[in-house]
């Protein structure tokens, strides 16, 4: 048995969700306030149908949380946009611990003497 909690949806949207689920599946549904109990469907199918309902009804500001057989439809609040000045104030300047070398030391340069090593062939 799966449970769908639709506390963030309006009551009209909850009834529309119940009608959608009954039309799209053969599972048993019981509506109690803004909570729906679903039997006869897998977790994957319920989650798929909830995402499909949100997409069809253009409810992109809502998302589905899955917590072990309980699905919750929640309103996603986008983070407040920060101004450019606030972003600059909060940045810390990048200070390297060790300055990078300006030139490669001659002892680090590897030169081939003669031919490069042959490639090994697999047998």
């Amino acid at each position: 048995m799966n449970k769908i909690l639709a506390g963030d949806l309006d009551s009209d949207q909850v009834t529309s969700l119940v009608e959608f689920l009954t039309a799209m599946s053969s599972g048993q549904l019981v509506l109690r306030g803004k909570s729906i109990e679903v039997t006869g469907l897998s977790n994957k199918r319920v989650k798929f149908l909830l995402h499909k309902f949100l997409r069809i009804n253009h409810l992109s500001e809502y998302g589905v949380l899955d917590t072990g057989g309980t699905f919750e439809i929640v309103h996603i609040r986008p983070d407040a946009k920060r101004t450019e000045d606030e972003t600059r104030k909060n940045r810390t300047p990048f200070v390297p611990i060790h300055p990078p070398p300006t030139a490669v030391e001659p002892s680090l340069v590897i030169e081939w003497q003669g031919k490069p090593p042959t490639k090994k062939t697999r047998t």
Side-chain angles (χ1 to χ4, degrees), residues 3-4 14 16 22 27 31 33 40 47 49-50 56 60-61 74 79 81-82 106 108 112 114 119-120 123:
K3 194 171 192 176
I4 302 170
V14 173
S16 175
T22 55
L31 176 64
K47 190 172 184 178
L49 290 173
L50 289 175
I56 287 173
S60 60
E61 67 270 6
V74 293
D79 294 337
K81 292 184 180 179
R82 302 172 79 182
L108 297 176
W112 290 105
K119 291 185 179 177
K120 294 182 180 178
T123 58

CSV table of all heavy atoms in Angstrom, one decimal, residues 3-4 14 16 22 27 31 33 40 47 49-50 56 60-61 74 79 81-82 106 108 112 114 119-120 123:
chain,number,residue,atom,x,y,z
A,3,LYS,N,1.0,5.6,0.0
A,3,LYS,CA,0.3,6.7,0.5
A,3,LYS,C,0.8,8.0,-0.2
A,3,LYS,O,2.0,8.2,-0.3
A,3,LYS,CB,0.4,6.9,2.0
A,3,LYS,CG,-0.5,7.8,2.6
A,3,LYS,CD,-0.4,7.7,4.1
A,3,LYS,CE,-1.6,8.4,4.8
A,3,LYS,NZ,-1.6,8.2,6.2
A,4,ILE,N,-0.1,8.8,-0.7
A,4,ILE,CA,0.2,10.1,-1.4
A,4,ILE,C,-0.3,11.2,-0.5
A,4,ILE,O,-1.5,11.3,-0.2
A,4,ILE,CB,-0.4,10.2,-2.8
A,4,ILE,CG1,0.0,9.0,-3.6
A,4,ILE,CG2,-0.1,11.5,-3.4
A,4,ILE,CD1,-0.7,8.8,-4.9
A,14,VAL,N,-6.4,18.2,-5.9
A,14,VAL,CA,-6.4,16.8,-5.3
A,14,VAL,C,-7.5,16.0,-5.9
A,14,VAL,O,-7.2,14.8,-6.3
A,14,VAL,CB,-6.6,16.9,-3.8
A,14,VAL,CG1,-6.7,15.5,-3.2
A,14,VAL,CG2,-5.4,17.7,-3.1
A,16,SER,N,-8.7,16.4,-8.9
A,16,SER,CA,-8.2,16.1,-10.3
A,16,SER,C,-7.2,15.0,-10.3
A,16,SER,O,-7.2,14.2,-11.2
A,16,SER,CB,-7.7,17.4,-10.8
A,16,SER,OG,-7.1,17.2,-12.1
A,22,THR,N,-7.3,7.3,-11.2
A,22,THR,CA,-8.3,6.2,-11.5
A,22,THR,C,-8.4,5.9,-13.0
A,22,THR,O,-8.6,4.8,-13.4
A,22,THR,CB,-9.7,6.6,-11.0
A,22,THR,OG1,-10.1,7.9,-11.5
A,22,THR,CG2,-9.7,6.6,-9.5
A,27,GLY,N,-5.5,0.4,-10.0
A,27,GLY,CA,-5.3,0.3,-8.5
A,27,GLY,C,-6.5,0.8,-7.8
A,27,GLY,O,-7.4,1.6,-8.3
A,31,LEU,N,-9.6,8.2,-0.8
A,31,LEU,CA,-9.2,9.6,-0.6
A,31,LEU,C,-9.7,10.0,0.9
A,31,LEU,O,-10.8,9.8,1.2
A,31,LEU,CB,-10.0,10.5,-1.6
A,31,LEU,CG,-9.8,12.1,-1.4
A,31,LEU,CD1,-8.4,12.5,-1.6
A,31,LEU,CD2,-10.7,12.8,-2.4
A,33,GLY,N,-9.2,13.4,3.0
A,33,GLY,CA,-8.7,14.8,3.0
A,33,GLY,C,-7.8,15.0,1.9
A,33,GLY,O,-8.2,15.0,0.7
A,40,GLY,N,-2.4,-1.9,-5.0
A,40,GLY,CA,-2.4,-2.5,-6.3
A,40,GLY,C,-1.4,-1.9,-7.3
A,40,GLY,O,-1.4,-2.4,-8.5
A,47,LYS,N,5.0,6.7,-8.6
A,47,LYS,CA,5.9,7.9,-8.8
A,47,LYS,C,5.8,8.4,-10.2
A,47,LYS,O,5.7,9.6,-10.5
A,47,LYS,CB,7.3,7.5,-8.4
A,47,LYS,CG,8.2,8.7,-8.4
A,47,LYS,CD,9.6,8.2,-7.8
A,47,LYS,CE,10.5,9.4,-7.6
A,47,LYS,NZ,11.8,9.0,-7.1
A,49,LEU,N,3.2,8.1,-12.3
A,49,LEU,CA,1.9,8.7,-12.6
A,49,LEU,C,1.9,10.1,-11.9
A,49,LEU,O,1.3,11.0,-12.4
A,49,LEU,CB,0.8,7.8,-12.0
A,49,LEU,CG,0.5,6.6,-12.9
A,49,LEU,CD1,-0.5,5.7,-12.2
A,49,LEU,CD2,0.1,6.9,-14.3
A,50,LEU,N,2.5,10.3,-10.7
A,50,LEU,CA,2.5,11.6,-10.1
A,50,LEU,C,3.3,12.6,-10.9
A,50,LEU,O,2.8,13.7,-11.1
A,50,LEU,CB,3.1,11.5,-8.7
A,50,LEU,CG,2.2,10.7,-7.6
A,50,LEU,CD1,2.9,10.6,-6.3
A,50,LEU,CD2,0.9,11.5,-7.4
A,56,ILE,N,1.5,17.2,-17.0
A,56,ILE,CA,0.4,17.5,-17.8
A,56,ILE,C,-0.4,18.7,-17.4
A,56,ILE,O,-0.8,19.5,-18.2
A,56,ILE,CB,-0.6,16.3,-17.8
A,56,ILE,CG1,0.0,15.1,-18.6
A,56,ILE,CG2,-2.0,16.6,-18.3
A,56,ILE,CD1,-0.8,13.8,-18.5
A,60,SER,N,5.0,22.8,-12.7
A,60,SER,CA,6.4,22.5,-12.7
A,60,SER,C,7.0,23.0,-11.4
A,60,SER,O,8.1,22.7,-11.0
A,60,SER,CB,7.1,23.2,-13.8
A,60,SER,OG,6.8,24.6,-13.8
A,61,GLU,N,6.3,23.9,-10.6
A,61,GLU,CA,6.8,24.3,-9.3
A,61,GLU,C,6.6,23.3,-8.2
A,61,GLU,O,6.9,23.6,-7.0
A,61,GLU,CB,6.2,25.7,-8.9
A,61,GLU,CG,4.7,25.6,-8.7
A,61,GLU,CD,3.8,25.9,-9.9
A,61,GLU,OE1,4.3,26.0,-11.0
A,61,GLU,OE2,2.6,25.9,-9.7
A,74,VAL,N,5.2,18.3,-3.0
A,74,VAL,CA,5.7,19.5,-2.3
A,74,VAL,C,5.9,20.6,-3.2
A,74,VAL,O,6.2,20.4,-4.4
A,74,VAL,CB,7.0,19.3,-1.4
A,74,VAL,CG1,6.7,18.3,-0.3
A,74,VAL,CG2,8.1,18.8,-2.3
A,79,ASP,N,15.4,29.4,-4.8
A,79,ASP,CA,16.1,30.3,-3.9
A,79,ASP,C,16.0,31.8,-4.4
A,79,ASP,O,15.9,32.0,-5.6
A,79,ASP,CB,17.6,30.0,-3.9
A,79,ASP,CG,17.9,28.6,-3.3
A,79,ASP,OD1,17.0,28.2,-2.5
A,79,ASP,OD2,18.9,28.0,-3.6
A,81,LYS,N,17.0,35.2,-5.7
A,81,LYS,CA,18.1,35.6,-6.5
A,81,LYS,C,19.0,36.6,-5.7
A,81,LYS,O,18.4,37.6,-5.2
A,81,LYS,CB,17.6,36.1,-7.8
A,81,LYS,CG,17.0,35.1,-8.7
A,81,LYS,CD,16.6,35.6,-10.0
A,81,LYS,CE,16.0,34.6,-10.9
A,81,LYS,NZ,15.6,35.1,-12.2
A,82,ARG,N,20.2,36.4,-5.7
A,82,ARG,CA,21.1,37.3,-5.0
A,82,ARG,C,21.6,38.3,-6.0
A,82,ARG,O,21.9,38.0,-7.2
A,82,ARG,CB,22.3,36.5,-4.5
A,82,ARG,CG,21.8,35.4,-3.5
A,82,ARG,CD,23.0,34.5,-3.1
A,82,ARG,NE,23.7,35.2,-2.1
A,82,ARG,CZ,24.8,34.7,-1.5
A,82,ARG,NH1,25.3,33.5,-1.9
A,82,ARG,NH2,25.5,35.4,-0.6
A,106,PRO,N,65.3,21.6,-15.5
A,106,PRO,CA,65.9,20.7,-16.5
A,106,PRO,C,65.8,19.2,-16.0
A,106,PRO,O,65.7,18.3,-16.8
A,106,PRO,CB,67.3,21.1,-16.7
A,106,PRO,CG,67.3,22.5,-16.2
A,106,PRO,CD,66.2,22.7,-15.2
A,108,LEU,N,63.5,17.7,-14.6
A,108,LEU,CA,62.1,17.2,-14.8
A,108,LEU,C,61.8,16.8,-16.2
A,108,LEU,O,60.8,16.2,-16.5
A,108,LEU,CB,61.1,18.1,-14.2
A,108,LEU,CG,61.2,18.4,-12.7
A,108,LEU,CD1,60.1,19.4,-12.3
A,108,LEU,CD2,61.0,17.1,-11.9
A,112,TRP,N,63.4,11.1,-24.9
A,112,TRP,CA,63.6,9.8,-25.4
A,112,TRP,C,65.0,9.6,-26.0
A,112,TRP,O,65.4,10.5,-26.7
A,112,TRP,CB,62.5,9.5,-26.4
A,112,TRP,CG,61.2,9.4,-25.9
A,112,TRP,CD1,60.2,10.2,-26.0
A,112,TRP,CD2,60.7,8.3,-25.1
A,112,TRP,NE1,59.1,9.8,-25.4
A,112,TRP,CE2,59.3,8.6,-24.8
A,112,TRP,CE3,61.2,7.1,-24.7
A,112,TRP,CZ2,58.5,7.7,-24.1
A,112,TRP,CZ3,60.4,6.2,-24.0
A,112,TRP,CH2,59.1,6.6,-23.7
A,114,GLY,N,66.7,7.4,-28.5
A,114,GLY,CA,66.5,6.4,-29.5
A,114,GLY,C,65.0,6.3,-29.8
A,114,GLY,O,64.3,7.3,-29.9
A,119,LYS,N,54.9,-1.1,-28.7
A,119,LYS,CA,53.6,-1.4,-28.1
A,119,LYS,C,53.5,-2.9,-27.9
A,119,LYS,O,53.9,-3.7,-28.8
A,119,LYS,CB,52.5,-0.9,-29.0
A,119,LYS,CG,52.4,0.6,-29.1
A,119,LYS,CD,51.2,1.1,-29.9
A,119,LYS,CE,51.1,2.6,-29.9
A,119,LYS,NZ,50.0,3.0,-30.8
A,120,LYS,N,52.9,-3.3,-26.8
A,120,LYS,CA,52.8,-4.7,-26.6
A,120,LYS,C,51.5,-5.1,-27.3
A,120,LYS,O,50.5,-4.5,-27.2
A,120,LYS,CB,52.6,-5.0,-25.1
A,120,LYS,CG,53.9,-4.7,-24.3
A,120,LYS,CD,53.7,-5.0,-22.9
A,120,LYS,CE,55.0,-4.7,-22.1
A,120,LYS,NZ,54.9,-4.9,-20.7
A,123,THR,N,47.8,-11.3,-27.1
A,123,THR,CA,47.7,-12.6,-27.9
A,123,THR,C,46.4,-13.3,-27.5
A,123,THR,O,45.8,-13.1,-26.6
A,123,THR,CB,48.9,-13.5,-27.6
A,123,THR,OG1,48.9,-13.7,-26.2
A,123,THR,CG2,50.2,-12.9,-28.1
